[in-house]
């Protein structure tokens, strides 16, 4: 490979949860002029996410170019091998080298802003301001540590994210909107400040606000949604387009700041679409004999007791209560929020009789209660494991819709059918997609029906994110097919004139490049890069986990 001119820079813009399903109508209406220009003068296409399409495995797969079986991240939470009530992990848990580390080792300076799953920040050549899954105070939030004080002084009070219970459970969304508009504006100014004041060869800012807006406002945006309310839609129906417009405007500011000769890559970790139904996976497993509950604790989840009962039990250190509604919010939310939402489900399961259980809703998976992996596993590896898993899959294929009584649209994957690598052992044993992503498996156990209407978010994720690339040697107005999120890291290495490690699962997206460019620049491979992570490294302690869980709950990510 002929080394590219090191003075050429690369701008990588992440738009968490962005989807062409929303963008294309806005582009057609002239509402996203800067993104439209990039598409017209570059190449674009759908970007296939991970299964399931959720923030942690998707962004980590982007950062490493590897599938989750190789980097070990399947959810916001660590493997059940650490316990049924699982801690949250941090960036030290990632079991593969990131693109930023690889670039840094080659002397390339990177700037990373608001990229999820990057706390604590790696000590790279450049700077890092971590994104979602950061919820702590302290001087070492950023790399270098003094950077945040500089941002506060020169730009303003920087915040990573915001969420609250009221906006999650009710239609009182004005405070959420104000907070995210403020967060967005400071983020935009921060990005522009860093572009101008700091040295960088590769710069990656991520805009996260779209994800929160689509989770909360889809039912007002989409007139076909089962929860669509024309009255509220008149107030909130334009919020999702508004934030796409804000991001487009910010991209325009960024492009004006960096000049025309810089290659620009835009991607999202996954797409988005409506969420209209829930499937009570643990109750279904119980009904079919795969999961058993402790009978002595059944009144706590079978009957809705007063909030104060659960608060007293939690104060008495009963482990079955993970969280309760704060006292100062009981008057406003006590009737709306069922106190059983805060139950710690593993505490109610009779593990000595249980063959399988549902993972977190961000996993959309089922775990076999495997001896040697789970703390109280009873299913033996080998034939018994395959027999139990096979029976669950067979029964899932026969699940019928609660309204039509017809078999539902369902995709079921054994984990080894979609992933591979040394950490596959820790993944859910079965992954499930129901009704094209409109129906999500939920682990709560208090619902009487197997299928029920979701009571929090109305939008969720989809498999197809976005990919846009513009620059010298890139096709113009060219649609590419088959791009995957694991292909972006090797594409970045290729763009920067660097070889691609052989153990990356992704491939450089050469279809994006003109023939003349490919004649002068070939994709070269190098031996695999070693990256050792000790057992237990990157696992948050109880205090950190509880703080992070609250932040994730307020966004709608219940674990």
């Amino acid at each position: 490979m002929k080394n590219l001119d090191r003075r050429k820079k690369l701008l990588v813009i992440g738009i968490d949860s962005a989807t062409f399903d929303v963008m294309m109508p806005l582009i057609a209406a002239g509402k996203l002029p800067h993104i439209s220009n990039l598409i017209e003068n570059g190449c674009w296409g759908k970007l296939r996410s991970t299964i399931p399409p959720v923030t942690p495995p998707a962004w980590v797969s982007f950062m490493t170019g590897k599938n989750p079986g190789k980097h070990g991240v399947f959810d916001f939470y660590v493997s059940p091998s650490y316990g049924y009530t699982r801690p949250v992990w941090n960036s030290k848990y990632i079991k593969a080298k990131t693109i930023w580390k690889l670039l840094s080792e080659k002397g390339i300076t990177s700037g990373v802003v608001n990229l999820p799953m990057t706390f604590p920040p790696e000590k790279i050549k450049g700077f890092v301001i971590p994104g979602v899954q950061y919820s702590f105070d302290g001087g070492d939030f950023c790399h270098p540590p003094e950077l945040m004080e500089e941002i506060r002084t020169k730009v303003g009070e920087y915040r990573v994210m915001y969420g609250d219970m009221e906006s999650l459970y009710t239609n009182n969304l004005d405070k959420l909107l104000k907070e995210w508009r403020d967060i967005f504006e400071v983020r935009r100014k921060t990005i522009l400040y860093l572009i101008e004041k700091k040295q960088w060869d590769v710069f990656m800012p991520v805009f996260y606000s779209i994800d929160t807006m689509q989770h909360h406002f889809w039912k007002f945006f989409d007139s076909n949604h089962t929860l669509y309310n024309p009255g509220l839609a008149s107030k909130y129906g334009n919020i999702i387009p508004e934030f796409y417009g804000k991001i487009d405007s910010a991209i325009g500011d960024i492009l004006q700041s960096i000049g025309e000769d810089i290659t620009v890559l835009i991607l999202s970790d996954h797409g988005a679409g409506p969420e209209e139904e829930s499937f009570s996976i643990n109750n279904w497993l119980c009904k079919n004999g795969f999961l058993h509950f402790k009978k002595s604790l059944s009144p706590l989840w079978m009957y809705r007791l007063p909030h104060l009962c659960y608060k007293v039990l939690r104060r008495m250190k009963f482990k079955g209560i993970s969280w309760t509604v704060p006292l100062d919010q009981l008057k406003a939310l006590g009737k709306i929020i069922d106190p059983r939402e805060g139950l710690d489900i593993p505490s109610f399961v009779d593990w000595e009789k249980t063959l399988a259980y549902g993972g977190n809703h961000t996993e959309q998976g089922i775990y076999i209660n495997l001896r040697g992996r789970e703390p109280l596993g009873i299913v033996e590896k080998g034939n018994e494991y395959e027999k139990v898993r096979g029976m669950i899959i067979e029964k899932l294929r026969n699940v019928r819709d609660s309204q039509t009584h017809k078999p539902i649209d369902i995709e079921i994957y054994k984990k080894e059918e979609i992933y591979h690598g040394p950490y596959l052992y820790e993944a859910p044993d079965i992954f499930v997609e129901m009704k094209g992503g409109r129906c999500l498996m939920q682990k709560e156990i208090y619902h009487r029906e197997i299928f029920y209407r979701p009571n929090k978010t109305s939008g969720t994720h989809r498999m197809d994110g976005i990919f846009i690339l513009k620059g010298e040697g890139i096709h113009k107005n060219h649609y590419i097919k088959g791009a995957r999120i694991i292909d972006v890291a090797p594409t970045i290495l290729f763009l920067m004139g660097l070889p691609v490690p052989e153990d990356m699962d992704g491939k450089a997206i050469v279809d994006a490049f003109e023939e003349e460019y490919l004649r002068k620049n070939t994709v070269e491979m190098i031996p695999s890069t070693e990256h050792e992570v000790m057992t237990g490294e990157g696992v948050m302690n109880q205090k950190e986990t509880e703080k992070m869980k609250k932040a994730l709950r307020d966004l709608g990510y219940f674990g």
Side-chain angles (χ1 to χ4, degrees):
M1 172 185 285
K2 296 181 180 179
N3 287 332
L4 300 180
D5 185 348
R6 285 289 184 241
R7 289 173 296 178
K8 289 190 177 296
K9 296 184 176 183
L10 173 63
L11 172 68
V12 181
I13 300 176
I15 310 176
D16 197 291
S17 198
T19 171
F20 283 126
D21 291 342
V22 174
M23 292 174 69
M24 283 309 178
L26 294 175
I27 288 173
K31 300 292 182 63
L32 306 178
H34 303 293
I35 293 174
S36 178
N37 181 64
L38 290 170
I39 289 174
E40 289 174 6
N41 292 282
C43 67
W44 64 285
K46 295 176 180 178
L47 191 68
R48 195 72 170 164
S49 186
T50 52
I51 296 176
V54 68
T55 299
W59 278 124
V60 176
S61 292
F62 152 74
M63 283 189 275
T64 62
K66 298 179 180 181
N67 85 90
K70 286 185 178 178
H71 59 62
V73 171
F74 300 94
D75 189 22
F76 287 103
Y77 301 86
V78 302
S79 161
S81 62
Y82 289 88
Y84 294 110
T85 301
R86 296 148 59 186
V88 180
W89 59 269
N90 65 36
S91 65
K92 293 182 179 180
Y93 186 75
I94 299 171
K95 301 170 181 67
K97 274 191 180 180
T98 67
I99 184 70
W100 321 116
K101 198 69 173 178
L102 293 170
L103 292 172
S104 187
E105 289 173 351
K106 297 298 182 181
I108 293 176
T109 303
S110 300
V112 185
V113 179
N114 201 44
L115 178 61
M117 326 318 294
T118 53
F119 178 81
E122 289 185 283
K123 305 299 189 288
I124 63 169
K125 184 180 181 183
F127 54 91
V128 181
I129 300 178
V132 167
Q133 206 173 5
Y134 165 75
S135 185
F136 304 105
D137 304 315
D140 57 354
F141 164 37
C142 301
H143 169 69
E146 63 271 14
L147 179 58
M148 184 47 60
E149 185 57 36
E150 180 181 346
I151 295 300
R152 291 189 179 112
T153 301
K154 301 293 185 179
V155 180
E157 191 61 33
Y158 185 95
R159 291 181 294 163
V160 174
M161 58 188 181
Y162 174 81
D164 62 62
M165 297 184 80
E166 184 176 18
S167 64
L168 193 62
Y169 285 93
T170 76
N171 290 325
N172 300 328
L173 299 163
D174 292 347
K175 179 173 173 56
L176 179 83
L177 276 174
K178 180 186 182 305
E179 297 293 340
W180 273 101
R181 284 168 176 153
D182 291 345
I183 288 171
F184 181 90
E185 184 58 23
V186 174
R187 185 110 66 224
R188 182 187 68 82
K189 290 179 180 178
T190 298
I191 291 165
L192 293 172
Y193 173 82
L194 293 170
I195 284 175
E196 180 182 349
K197 300 296 183 181
K198 303 298 179 182
Q199 287 189 332
W200 56 272
D201 300 306
V202 178
F203 183 64
M204 182 178 184
V206 176
F207 294 100
Y208 187 80
S209 53
I210 287 293
D211 186 77
T212 300
M213 296 305 110
Q214 289 177 157
H215 279 307
H216 284 74
F217 292 90
W218 199 277
K219 62 185 177 184
F220 310 118
F221 167 73
D222 181 0
S223 60
N224 293 316
H225 198 285
T226 52
L227 297 177
Y228 182 76
N229 182 312
L232 288 171
S234 65
K235 180 179 182 180
Y236 295 128
N238 195 49
I239 296 303
I240 290 175
E242 174 194 331
F243 275 83
Y244 273 90
K246 283 179 178 292
I247 291 173
D248 183 81
S249 178
I251 289 173
D253 294 338
I254 293 169
L255 295 178
Q256 185 175 13
S257 176
I258 64 174
E260 290 292 326
D261 60 339
I262 294 180
T263 300
V264 179
L265 190 161
I266 300 178
L267 78 150
S268 65
D269 55 333
H270 50 70
E275 176 187 354
E276 298 181 297
E277 201 167 15
S278 298
F279 182 81
S280 184
I281 181 59
N282 282 320
N283 283 338
W284 180 87
L285 287 168
C286 179
K287 183 178 179 181
N288 285 276
F290 298 108
L291 182 147
H292 295 269
F293 293 113
K294 297 174 181 176
K295 292 182 179 179
S296 61
L297 298 178
S298 60
L300 288 175
W301 63 268
M302 291 186 71
Y303 306 104
R304 177 172 176 163
L305 305 176
H307 281 269
L308 289 178
C309 291
Y310 299 93
K311 295 186 81 67
V312 169
L313 285 170
R314 189 163 187 259
R315 184 174 289 273
M316 293 172 64
K317 307 297 183 182
F318 172 58
K319 293 183 179 180
I321 313 297
S322 179
W323 61 274
T324 59
V325 178
L327 279 172
D328 61 353
Q329 293 182 280
L330 270 180
K331 185 176 180 180
L333 300 176
K335 292 182 179 180
I336 298 168
I337 300 178
D338 192 309
R340 294 171 293 179
E341 294 255 331
L343 297 181
D344 177 63
I345 308 303
S347 298
F348 295 83
V349 176
D350 186 342
W351 295 108
E352 294 181 354
K353 298 178 181 178
T354 290
L355 301 174
Y357 60 99
N360 296 320
H361 94 272
T362 41
E363 290 177 299
Q364 293 301 290
I366 298 170
Y367 285 94
I368 305 301
N369 193 25
L370 189 63
R371 189 184 301 277
R373 181 183 66 185
E374 271 72 5
L376 299 173
I378 64 172
V379 177
E380 297 288 350
K381 300 175 185 177
N383 291 338
E384 186 180 4
Y385 169 85
E386 293 298 348
K387 180 181 178 181
V388 171
R389 187 165 66 160
M391 288 191 298
I392 293 171
I393 290 173
E394 182 180 359
K395 287 186 176 294
L396 280 172
R397 294 196 189 283
N398 292 319
V399 170
R400 293 181 176 269
D401 187 273
S402 59
Q403 302 297 319
T404 66
H405 305 293
K406 295 180 179 179
I408 65 168
D409 174 19
I410 188 169
E411 297 289 339
I412 304 170
Y413 307 93
K414 295 179 179 179
K415 61 183 177 183
E416 66 272 18
E417 294 173 345
I418 53 175
Y419 296 134
H420 63 280
Y423 306 103
L424 182 67
Y425 178 68
E426 298 184 341
D429 301 288
I430 303 168
F431 289 97
V432 181
E433 181 186 73
M434 291 186 170
K435 300 187 178 184
R438 290 173 175 266
C439 178
L440 297 182
M441 295 195 302
Q442 304 285 357
K443 69 178 187 179
E444 285 83 2
I445 59 177
Y446 68 89
H447 292 277
R448 298 290 185 182
E449 304 295 331
I450 298 297
F451 284 100
Y452 60 94
R453 295 293 181 201
N455 63 343
K456 292 180 278 290
T457 55
S458 62
T460 189
H461 303 166
R462 293 291 188 273
M463 284 297 299
D464 291 328
I466 68 167
F467 178 83
I468 302 169
L469 182 62
K470 174 187 174 292
E472 183 182 348
I474 308 298
H475 285 299
K476 291 181 173 57
N477 199 20
H478 175 70
Y479 183 78
I480 60 172
K481 296 180 180 179
R484 305 165 298 171
I485 198 160
I486 56 174
D487 296 330
V488 181
T491 302
I492 290 173
L493 292 173
F494 178 54
L495 283 164
M496 297 305 293
L498 298 176
V500 178
E502 291 176 342
D503 61 344
M504 279 191 176
D505 297 307
K507 309 296 180 185
I509 305 172
V510 294
D511 185 41
F513 297 87
E514 296 173 345
E515 290 183 9
E516 180 65 21
Y517 186 95
L518 293 174
R519 276 196 292 269
K520 294 179 179 178
N521 305 277
T522 57
V523 179
E524 292 185 357
M525 308 300 290
I526 57 172
S528 302
T529 56
E530 294 184 0
H531 183 75
E532 292 187 8
V533 174
M534 301 295 291
T535 300
E537 190 172 2
V539 180
M540 292 186 183
N541 61 38
Q542 185 175 356
K543 184 178 179 180
E544 292 171 334
T545 290
E546 288 306 313
K547 189 169 185 178
M548 195 63 241
K549 279 186 174 182
K550 182 186 183 306
L552 291 171
R553 279 199 306 269
D554 287 345
L555 288 173
Y557 294 118
F558 284 67

